[in-house]
Amino acid sequence: MKSNMKKKIKGSLPSMQQLVIQRIDYLNTTFNAFPQSKKKIILAVAGVMIACLSGAMVLNAIYGVPANPLTFDKITLPHDIQMQQTDTTTLTPIGKMKGEIDGDFEAFYLAVDKDGQVYLNRDPDYSENRYEKSRGWELVTREQLAVYEKELHFIPHQKKSLRP
């Protein structure tokens, strides 16, 4: 009954799995053919080898002995990295808003400074320093922004690297 069930299972598996099962069956049959004393010695040696390997791994973890001779650079901590100071005149783009308010079409770009104040620009230039405060950016109050949010559609800023 068991051998009949094994044959059914073996017949339904892909060829790679059948090959693995055949190898396991061969090793199982070979190991079971050994005398009882030889089985005990093999299992004892295998157990000692696994215990030594586990002990070596634990000691490496405790004492920091490298497991391999390859060396890797350490990860630098934030206090090691020279952070760039943000410029007080530079704005961070957050997106644009467009739509219709009282029959007039409105469209403008939004950006924030390092203090979290929101600025808008209806006609930004397309140079590399377009997000400087002095180039047509106007400060927007939270109340004005709330009115714009109710009436206009917000389109988040997308960097070129994020486009599909």
Side-chain angles (χ1 to χ4, degrees):
M1 180 88 174
K2 286 185 179 180
S3 64
N4 196 11
M5 183 66 102
K6 280 186 178 181
K7 287 180 183 176
K8 286 183 182 178
I9 291 172
K10 287 181 183 180
S12 65
L13 295 176
S15 62
M16 187 63 160
Q17 288 179 339
Q18 287 179 357
L19 182 66
V20 170
I21 289 174
Q22 285 175 356
R23 300 289 177 175
I24 292 172
D25 286 343
Y26 172 74
L27 291 173
N28 188 24
T29 306
T30 306
F31 182 78
N32 288 335
F34 289 139
Q36 195 70 18
S37 61
K38 201 166 193 175
K39 287 181 191 177
K40 286 181 182 179
I41 292 172
I42 292 172
L43 288 177
V45 169
V48 169
M49 288 175 56
I50 291 172
C52 289
L53 183 62
S54 299
M57 291 171 63
V58 169
L59 290 175
N60 281 341
I62 291 172
Y63 295 113
V65 178
N68 58 7
L70 298 176
T71 58
F72 298 98
D73 292 336
K74 291 182 179 178
I75 297 175
T76 57
L77 298 175
H79 58 80
D80 296 337
I81 300 171
Q82 299 298 322
M83 299 296 288
Q84 242 182 357
Q85 295 295 325
T86 55
D87 189 5
T88 56
T89 62
T90 304
L91 299 172
T92 304
I94 56 174
K96 60 184 172 181
M97 296 187 100
K98 58 185 186 177
E100 197 172 319
I101 296 179
D102 297 329
D104 293 330
F105 181 75
E106 286 282 333
F108 51 84
Y109 288 85
L110 293 172
V112 293
D113 64 0
K114 68 179 184 93
D115 298 324
Q117 295 178 327
V118 180
Y119 290 83
L120 69 84
N121 192 340
R122 286 177 171 47
D123 188 28
D125 58 346
Y126 290 98
S127 64
E128 64 182 49
N129 52 359
R130 71 188 278 193
Y131 290 107
E132 288 184 3
K133 280 186 191 178
S134 62
R135 297 185 167 261
W137 291 94
E138 305 167 15
L139 183 63
V140 179
T141 63
R142 296 288 176 193
E143 294 81 25
Q144 289 173 322
L145 188 60
V147 171
Y148 289 140
E149 286 175 342
K150 288 179 186 176
E151 300 292 325
L152 304 175
H153 298 287
F154 177 73
I155 302 167
H157 177 71
Q158 294 181 350
K159 295 182 179 179
K160 289 182 180 180
S161 62
L162 297 177
R163 289 185 184 164

